[in-house]
Structure formats: C-alpha cells, structure tokens
Amino acid sequence: MEFNLAQEIAQLHDEEAWVLTGRNSKTLVKQPDFRIVLIALQRDGHLEEHSADARISIHTLTGHVKLRLPEQTVDLPSGHLLVLDRALEHDLEALEESAILLTISWPHAEEN
C-alpha cells in the first residue's frame, strides 16, 4: 500500500465533515491487529479523553497539537512522533490547523 498523505489531507479538507465539525478522518489501513488513521483537525479542535487497548503512535504531519496524559502534557509540533503504551488515557488539542497520523497496534491473542 502506498499513500500520498498531502493529497489525502487535501481530500479530508474538501469533505463536508471538515466544514461541519472542524475535523475529519480516514482509515488508511485496517487489519485485525493494525490500523492507520489520518486525522485532520481545525485550530482548537479536540479529540476527547479516551484510551485504547493497544499501543499507539501519534505523528504530527502538519500543524501543532498538544496531548494531555494523566501525568504530563506533551507538545507535538509538526514532525514529532509520540508512542503510548496500552490503556493510557489521553486527549488531544490542535493548537493550529493540523493533521496527524494515528497508528494502532493490538497485541496478538497469545500475548497478555
């Protein structure tokens, strides 16, 4: 699989969800144990507090986001990458118009 992320972001900005909600997303890869999601957020856009039963990475492609964790806040300007362990609650705020690449990796059934 190959993706032109600049074109994918432009497409997200052209869709109705972007105008109505200030954010839009597209799942680029969806496998039982692995997912990659492209998320575009307008300035001051939020992803409310949540957690995942998987390890995740958040890569800021454009813009600047802030991630709040239970013990700290992490600044993620364009080009930065953060990896989080499973079940770690977090929320995200776009400090400016931003696009992030979220990667989710679930453990195999035999791993506990």
Side-chain angles (χ1 to χ4, degrees):
M1 294 181 202
E2 182 178 349
F3 302 93
N4 180 322
L5 294 176
Q7 285 180 352
E8 296 287 349
I9 293 167
Q11 181 181 350
L12 289 177
H13 289 175
D14 285 341
E15 294 177 3
E16 186 176 2
W18 175 255
V19 175
L20 296 177
T21 68
R23 67 180 182 196
N24 200 3
S25 64
K26 179 179 184 181
T27 301
L28 302 175
V29 178
K30 186 175 183 179
Q31 298 293 328
D33 62 344
F34 183 73
R35 194 163 295 164
I36 299 175
V37 182
L38 179 62
I39 303 170
L41 296 158
Q42 292 181 13
R43 180 186 179 111
D44 297 325
H46 287 83
L47 298 178
E48 300 302 323
E49 186 173 305
H50 60 280
S51 65
D53 291 333
R55 288 187 178 89
I56 68 168
S57 72
I58 300 168
H59 178 188
T60 306
L61 300 171
T62 63
H64 193 158
V65 300
K66 177 172 46 174
L67 190 85
R68 288 183 198 85
L69 300 162
E71 302 288 325
Q72 69 183 39
T73 298
V74 180
D75 198 40
L76 293 170
S78 180
H80 284 232
L81 173 71
L82 177 71
V83 178
L84 297 178
D85 207 355
R86 294 178 268 215
L88 189 57
E89 290 187 1
H90 59 280
D91 68 43
L92 186 135
E93 176 185 1
L95 302 177
E96 58 188 64
E97 186 176 294
S98 302
I100 62 170
L101 200 60
L102 171 66
T103 303
I104 308 165
S105 177
W106 287 274
H108 293 290
E110 60 271 7
E111 291 182 31
N112 290 320

